[in-house]
Amino acid sequence: MRGRHRLKHTLREKVGRWTQPRDFILDILDRSREHLSAKDIYDILYSTHPGIGLTTVYRTLELFHRLGIVKKVSSPDGQSRYELSSEEKKAHHHHLICLGCGKIIDYQDFAKEELELVKKTEKVLSQKHNFLIFDHNIEFRGLCEKCRKTLAVE
Amino acid sequence: MRGRHRLKHTLREKVGRWTQPRDFILDILDRSREHLSAKDIYDILYSTHPGIGLTTVYRTLELFHRLGIVKKVSSPDGQSRYELSSEEKKAHHHHLICLGCGKIIDYQDFAKEELELVKKTEKVLSQKHNFLIFDHNIEFRGLCEKCRKTLAVE
DNA sequence: CTGTGTGCAAAGCATTTGCACTATG
DNA sequence: CATAGTGCAAATGCTTTGCACACAG
C-alpha cells in the first residue's frame, strides 16, 4: 500500500495531469496478480465506471509503458498483456505461457543463476551486434493444467 | 542442400499434397537467415510468382507450424515472424529484438550454460504449476545499431 | 480559463474465413 | 476424377486515430 502511494506520487510529477481513469487503471494493475489485456482492464473498469472507454485504457497503458512502469508482453493469442514492471513490483520474474488459453503465470525461481547468465550474455551480445539492450525476457511455453485436460483427446 | 531435400521428402509424406506454393515458401524460409513475416514472404514470392495469395502464405505457415518445422515469434510491431525451427536448422539459438524496427537477430552464445539453467527451471516449474512445457524462449530487447542512431535525438 | 485528456466512431493492420475454382495424386 | 488446396473478397479482432467535448491545474 505504501508502495502504491509512492508510485502515484512519482507519477503525478512525471505525468501532465493525474486523472480518474489513470488512477483507476493504475489501481487495477497494482491489485491484479494476473497479466491483463486492455480488454480485461476495460471490463473490470466497466463494472464500476462504465463511462471510461477502451481507447483511454489503451492510451493510458501506452503512457505507463513509455514511463517505464508497465511491461507489455505479447501473448500467442494475438493480444498484448500488461503488468506493472518488476521495479515497481520489486520482484524480477519471468513467464509460463499457456498456448491453449493464453494465460500467463509468473515464476521467479533460479533468479540468481539466471542473472549471472543474463549479465554475461548481455555483455557479449551488445558488443557483438552493437545493440543497446534494455531488457530481457524468458518464457516457457506449454499447456496449463486446465488446457492439458481439455485437449487431452487430440 | 542435402538437408533441404531430406526435409522436403519428409514433408511430402506428412502432408497431403505437395504443392508449388508450399515448395516455394519452404525454399524462402530455408534460404533466409532473417525472421520473415507473412507479408515479407508474400513480397518475395510476388516478384517471381505473383499469382500466389497472402492467404496461402498464412495457411502454409500455419501448416508448417503445426507440423513443428516452423517457429512463430511475435514481434513487438504486432506481426508474427516465422523461421525454420532449430531442429531443422540444427542450431539452438535465441533472439535479440529491436524495439525500433522489429528486426530480429539470432544468437547462440552460452548455449551450454543456458541449457543447464533451462533444464533445471523446466523441471521445477512443470511440477510446481502442473504445466506441460513444450518449449522455451529467451529474448533480449533493445535498439539495433540503425535505430540507436535514428532515435538518438529523443 | 486553456489546453491536456477523454469518448465515440471510424480507420488501420494483421490474420482468418467463406466460397467457387484449380490442380495434385 | 475426387477432393485437398488455392485465390479472392469480405469478415474479424486488436489497436490506433480524428475530432469535438470535458475537466484538471
Side-chain angles (χ1 to χ4, degrees):
Chain A
M1 289 300 131
R2 205 178 301 137
R4 195 195 300 178
H5 290 143
R6 188 163 31 70
L7 177 55
K8 278 192 189 170
H9 187 74
T10 315
L11 279 177
R12 271 174 218 268
E13 292 175 348
K14 283 199 203 177
V15 171
R17 289 177 187 179
W18 192 250
T19 61
Q20 283 210 44
R22 289 176 182 182
D23 200 58
F24 297 146
I25 292 171
L26 180 61
D27 272 352
I28 290 173
L29 286 169
D30 187 46
R31 280 201 216 98
S32 168
R33 289 197 62 261
E34 305 274 315
H35 297 70
L36 304 172
S37 68
K39 188 63 172 27
D40 290 339
I41 294 173
Y42 173 78
D43 288 341
I44 296 173
L45 215 41
Y46 190 86
S47 57
T48 51
H49 304 272
I52 297 175
L54 184 53
T55 306
T56 300
V57 176
Y58 275 108
R59 282 194 281 228
T60 303
L61 289 170
E62 165 62 18
L63 171 71
F64 288 173
H65 186 244
R66 274 203 316 277
L67 295 174
I69 65 161
V70 153
K71 272 196 181 175
K72 199 174 169 180
V73 186
S74 49
S75 182
D77 63 5
Q79 298 178 78
S80 292
R81 281 155 199 262
Y82 303 81
E83 57 170 342
L84 283 189
S85 71
S86 324
E87 252 178 77
E88 305 305 337
K89 286 237 167 177
K90 293 272 174 290
H92 185 74
H93 65 263
H94 289 297
H95 300 137
L96 214 49
I97 302 183
C98 179
L99 295 169
C101 61
K103 182 180 178 184
I104 299 177
I105 298 174
D106 289 345
Y107 76 88
Q108 47 187 106
D109 303 75
F110 305 110
K112 197 175 155 196
E113 281 132 284
E114 178 214 306
L115 187 63
E116 270 173 44
L117 177 63
V118 162
K119 263 191 187 163
K120 204 157 59 168
T121 314
E122 264 185 18
K123 195 174 167 191
V124 170
L125 291 185
S126 58
Q127 287 180 3
K128 202 190 243 178
H129 300 282
N130 210 347
F131 223 85
L132 177 64
I133 296 177
F134 296 142
D135 194 18
H136 68 273
N137 179 38
I138 300 180
E139 300 166 352
F140 288 88
R141 289 187 292 238
L143 290 177
C144 71
E145 194 170 5
K146 207 194 272 176
C147 290
R148 269 171 94 161
K149 286 174 186 158
T150 313
L151 300 174
V153 200
E154 294 182 31
Chain B
M1 289 297 132
R2 207 178 300 138
R4 197 194 301 178
H5 289 144
R6 187 163 33 69
L7 177 55
K8 278 192 189 172
H9 187 74
T10 314
L11 280 176
R12 269 174 219 270
E13 292 174 349
K14 284 198 201 176
V15 171
R17 290 178 187 178
W18 193 251
T19 62
Q20 283 210 46
R22 290 174 182 185
D23 200 58
F24 297 146
I25 292 170
L26 180 61
D27 273 353
I28 289 173
L29 285 169
D30 187 47
R31 280 200 215 99
S32 167
R33 288 197 63 260
E34 305 274 316
H35 299 68
L36 305 172
S37 67
K39 187 61 171 31
D40 290 338
I41 294 173
Y42 173 79
D43 288 341
I44 295 172
L45 215 42
Y46 190 85
S47 58
T48 50
H49 303 272
I52 297 175
L54 183 54
T55 306
T56 299
V57 174
Y58 276 107
R59 281 192 282 227
T60 304
L61 288 170
E62 164 63 17
L63 172 71
F64 288 174
H65 185 244
R66 272 204 317 276
L67 295 174
I69 65 162
V70 153
K71 272 196 180 174
K72 202 173 167 180
V73 186
S74 50
S75 183
D77 63 5
Q79 298 178 77
S80 292
R81 281 155 200 262
Y82 303 82
E83 57 170 342
L84 283 189
S85 72
S86 324
E87 253 178 75
E88 305 305 336
K89 287 238 169 178
K90 294 270 175 292
H92 186 73
H93 65 265
H94 289 296
H95 300 138
L96 214 49
I97 301 184
C98 179
L99 295 169
C101 62
K103 182 179 176 184
I104 299 177
I105 297 175
D106 288 346
Y107 76 88
Q108 47 188 105
D109 304 74
F110 305 110
K112 198 176 152 194
E113 281 133 283
E114 177 215 305
L115 188 63
E116 270 174 44
L117 178 63
V118 163
K119 263 191 189 165
K120 205 158 57 169
T121 314
E122 263 184 18
K123 196 175 164 189
V124 170
L125 292 184
S126 57
Q127 288 179 3
K128 201 189 243 178
H129 300 282
N130 211 347
F131 223 84
L132 177 64
I133 295 177
F134 296 143
D135 194 17
H136 68 272
N137 179 38
I138 301 180
E139 300 166 352
F140 287 89
R141 289 186 292 236
L143 290 177
C144 71
E145 194 169 5
K146 207 194 272 176
C147 290
R148 269 171 93 161
K149 287 174 187 158
T150 313
L151 301 174
V153 199
E154 294 183 31

